[in-house]
Amino acid sequence: MKQTVTRYLARYQRTFSSLNTGQKVAAALGTGALLLAGFLVFRWASTPSYAPLFSDLSSSDASAVIDKLDASGTPYKITNGGSTVMVPKDKVYSSRIALSGDGLPSSSGSGSGYDIMKEGGLSASNMQEQVNFKRAMETELSHTIEAINGVSTAVVHLALPEKQVFADKQDPATASVLVATKPGSTLDPEQVQAIVHLVASSIDGLDPDKVTVADASGKVLSVQDDGSGTAAASTRAQQVSDYQDQVTSRIQAMLDRIVGTGNSTVTVTANLDFDKTTTEKKSYTYNKQNVPLSSTKASEKYSGVNPNGQTGVVGPDGQMDSTGTAGTNGSYEKTSETSDNAVDTTVEHRETAPGSVRNLHVGVVLDAATARTIDPNVIQSQVASAVGIDTARGDTAVVSVLPFDRSAEKAAAKELAEAKKADASAQQWGLIRNSGLVVLIVLILLLAWLKGRRRAKARAEATSYLVEQLRQEGLDRAAAQAELETSPAVLALEQAEKTEEDELREELAALVERQPEDVASLLRGWLVERP
């Protein structure tokens, strides 16, 4: 076995020594490339697959987790800016259980803030219990706010004064919320109000006006109503802006389909009515067909002779009636009727919600270069129909055709085209460079192969010629010797000559393997010199 390995190594060494400088460099580069590729494949196959162990870790928890992993010798990777720790897949659950036993992570992930209430036990004082309760509520509120879309991190601070016996001496509770949004996300006013009311509803006695929400840049997002109407004005301005944007987008979408994108501009000004009005109206209607609610009839009747012989009779009011005559009979009769007729009564109570449109003004400008064949009156009618222009309430819609300034767009388009051209050129040159390198390597390998093949062919031809020459010389010598009588001295001489011939043949074969081109040139010279 050892001799076989030695023989192969010697053969490879002789083969490598017979190569020229270019072939040696190509062989070395190819061998190195194969070894490097094998090493990379082995490393890729032996590298374990990683999976997240914990995500969204705080800096303190990440440091503690890494220390524990280092102590246990578990390999890990840190990603997502240091907030995510990854370990091999086969060690995720075992590492997570081991770290959970050590109380990690303590403040990150899905841990409950009410775990803080376990601190202290029975020996905790009233002050310590209040502090733990405040910390637990802050942690729970932070986790709840972080569940809102767009919020990356939230920190809540509560100021809960001690309860007083008298309500007029009780200090109000306050809260502050600091939120950090995810890249590319912003909180709209509805989300801010949701955070405010979420915190206020979670704490007993906390007024929403006492909750302050700020972002990571220090900008106050919540607007508190201090009695001056600032909060209401801000809300109204936001509602007006939202309504104007809605109408503008509706008109712009229609114009983009008519004149094309970028060939029109729309401006909308809306005057909204934020007054809340209440109207009460009561009306009465009489209908003869209705049955009377109540009816009363009264009748009075008197008759008799004047006892004193006076003229006249006594009337119902106790006065003498002078029209009567003495000794004659007198009478009095009165009938009255009262009816309460039913009257239809209608009571109307109407409340008008704020936010109605008082008037609306729309201005549209079309590009003269693209709207030459379009009648502005038609566009004006379409805009008026689309947004409901009411001239009775003072709405206006004006459409104008003016030339647009395209210098900025042309400059931007030119820069974009140049950037695309530069990127395309860079990609093209990169492709050419890589292709050139590949072609160069292929050519080097091809030339080395062709040259090696030519050398092998020349070596084979030279060896065959030498062997043929030697064989021919041996035949001639054998024929010459056949004419002579054999003797012991002649046999010994022939044996010696054969030994020398074998050694010479081996030396010639080695010479042909080492320097095939030189041997071939020498043989060509001999052939030319032979008569």
Side-chain angles (χ1 to χ4, degrees):
M1 182 68 182
K2 182 177 180 181
Q3 294 178 356
T4 304
V5 174
T6 305
R7 186 169 61 254
Y8 277 111
L9 291 177
R11 182 182 298 176
Y12 291 150
Q13 184 177 4
R14 288 197 304 268
T15 304
F16 186 76
S17 300
S18 63
L19 300 177
N20 58 13
T21 306
Q23 292 175 342
K24 291 180 179 179
V25 172
L29 291 177
T31 305
L34 290 176
L35 293 176
L36 179 61
F39 172 73
L40 293 177
V41 171
F42 174 76
R43 184 177 180 183
W44 172 77
S46 60
T47 301
S49 180
Y50 283 81
L53 178 64
F54 294 111
S55 301
D56 297 330
L57 291 173
S58 63
S59 58
S60 58
D61 284 344
S63 177
V65 168
I66 291 172
D67 290 341
K68 292 293 182 180
L69 293 177
D70 287 334
S72 62
T74 304
Y76 62 88
K77 288 183 179 179
I78 302 174
T79 59
N80 197 16
S83 61
T84 301
V85 178
M86 303 181 69
V87 296
K89 281 186 176 181
D90 56 345
K91 296 185 178 181
V92 170
Y93 299 106
S94 59
S95 300
R96 191 174 294 171
I97 293 173
L99 293 173
S100 299
D102 295 334
L104 293 175
S106 59
S107 60
S108 305
S110 58
S112 176
Y114 290 111
D115 293 339
I116 302 176
M117 301 295 295
K118 300 178 182 179
E119 300 178 3
L122 298 175
S123 61
S125 61
N126 188 20
M127 177 64 70
Q128 187 175 359
E129 289 180 354
Q130 292 179 358
V131 172
N132 291 339
F133 173 75
K134 187 172 77 71
R135 291 173 56 197
M137 291 302 299
E138 291 174 348
T139 304
E140 287 294 328
L141 288 174
S142 299
H143 292 168
T144 305
I145 295 173
E146 289 173 357
I148 298 176
N149 292 334
V151 178
S152 175
T153 307
V155 180
V156 180
H157 295 287
L158 300 176
L160 305 177
E162 296 182 1
K163 295 292 184 180
Q164 300 293 332
V165 178
F166 300 100
D168 56 350
K169 296 183 178 297
Q170 178 65 46
D171 294 330
T174 59
S176 61
V177 182
L178 179 65
V179 294
T181 58
K182 297 179 180 178
S185 300
T186 56
L187 295 180
D188 53 26
E190 288 80 7
Q191 290 178 313
V192 175
Q193 290 299 318
I195 294 174
V196 169
H197 290 282
L198 181 65
V199 175
S201 301
S202 303
I203 304 300
D204 184 21
L206 179 58
D207 195 319
D209 293 337
K210 301 298 182 181
V211 179
T212 302
V213 181
D215 60 5
S217 63
K219 180 181 178 182
V220 178
L221 302 179
S222 61
V223 181
Q224 299 179 357
D225 192 0
D226 54 0
S228 61
T230 305
S234 177
T235 305
R236 293 175 183 178
Q238 183 65 34
Q239 293 180 0
V240 172
S241 177
D242 293 342
Y243 179 76
Q244 292 179 165
D245 293 341
Q246 179 183 2
V247 176
T248 301
S249 61
R250 191 188 311 169
I251 299 174
Q252 191 66 58
M254 180 185 67
L255 293 178
D256 290 343
R257 297 296 300 272
I258 298 175
V259 297
T261 305
N263 297 322
S264 62
T265 179
V266 181
T267 303
V268 176
T269 301
N271 184 12
L272 303 184
D273 187 6
F274 291 98
D275 296 337
K276 181 179 180 181
T277 59
T278 302
T279 304
E280 290 188 2
K281 181 179 179 182
K282 183 181 289 187
S283 59
Y284 302 94
T285 303
Y286 173 68
N287 190 353
K288 296 181 179 181
Q289 302 297 330
N290 294 340
V291 178
L293 297 177
S294 61
S295 177
T296 304
K297 292 183 179 181
S299 177
E300 296 181 3
K301 185 176 181 181
Y302 300 96
S303 63
V305 179
N306 189 349
N308 297 325
Q310 297 179 357
T311 304
V313 298
V314 180
D317 55 357
Q319 302 295 327
M320 292 297 296
D321 188 359
S322 58
T323 58
T325 58
T328 61
N329 293 331
S331 62
Y332 175 80
E333 184 176 357
K334 179 181 180 182
T335 303
S336 63
E337 182 177 358
T338 303
S339 299
D340 294 334
N341 294 321
V343 180
D344 295 338
T345 304
T346 303
V347 179
E348 182 179 0
H349 181 83
R350 179 178 297 178
E351 267 189 34
T352 303
S356 60
V357 180
R358 288 181 177 175
N359 48 61
L360 185 65
H361 306 281
V362 180
V364 178
V365 180
L366 305 177
D367 186 14
T370 57
R372 296 176 181 176
T373 60
I374 298 177
D375 187 3
N377 295 324
V378 176
I379 301 297
Q380 183 174 351
S381 301
Q382 293 294 329
V383 171
S385 301
V387 299
I389 296 296
D390 187 3
T391 56
R393 66 183 182 187
D395 297 350
T396 59
V398 180
V399 179
S400 304
V401 179
L402 298 173
F404 279 18
D405 184 9
R406 303 284 187 177
S407 58
E409 296 180 4
K410 291 180 180 180
K414 184 178 180 181
E415 292 179 359
L416 183 61
E418 291 178 355
K420 289 183 178 179
K421 185 177 180 181
D423 292 340
S425 178
Q427 292 180 357
Q428 184 177 3
W429 279 110
L431 181 61
I432 292 174
R433 183 177 62 253
N434 296 334
S435 302
L437 291 175
V438 173
V439 171
L440 181 60
I441 293 173
V442 172
L443 288 177
I444 291 174
L445 295 177
L446 182 60
L447 290 175
W449 179 75
L450 291 175
K451 196 168 184 181
R453 185 178 179 183
R454 187 175 60 185
R455 284 175 175 270
K457 185 177 180 181
R459 183 169 60 251
E461 291 177 354
T463 304
S464 300
Y465 181 77
L466 286 175
V467 171
E468 182 65 23
Q469 292 295 324
L470 292 173
R471 189 177 65 83
Q472 186 64 34
E473 290 181 0
L475 292 175
D476 295 341
R477 186 178 299 177
Q481 290 179 354
E483 298 176 356
L484 301 174
E485 293 182 357
T486 59
S487 64
V490 173
L491 293 176
L493 181 60
E494 289 179 356
Q495 186 68 26
E497 288 179 353
K498 288 182 180 180
T499 304
E500 293 178 357
E501 183 179 350
D502 293 337
E503 293 179 355
L504 180 60
R505 183 176 295 179
E506 291 180 358
E507 291 180 359
L508 288 176
L511 179 62
V512 169
E513 290 182 358
R514 288 195 304 270
Q515 298 178 350
E517 294 182 355
D518 297 338
V519 173
S521 299
L522 180 61
L523 292 176
R524 292 190 192 97
W526 289 353
L527 293 175
V528 172
E529 293 177 359
R530 292 183 64 178

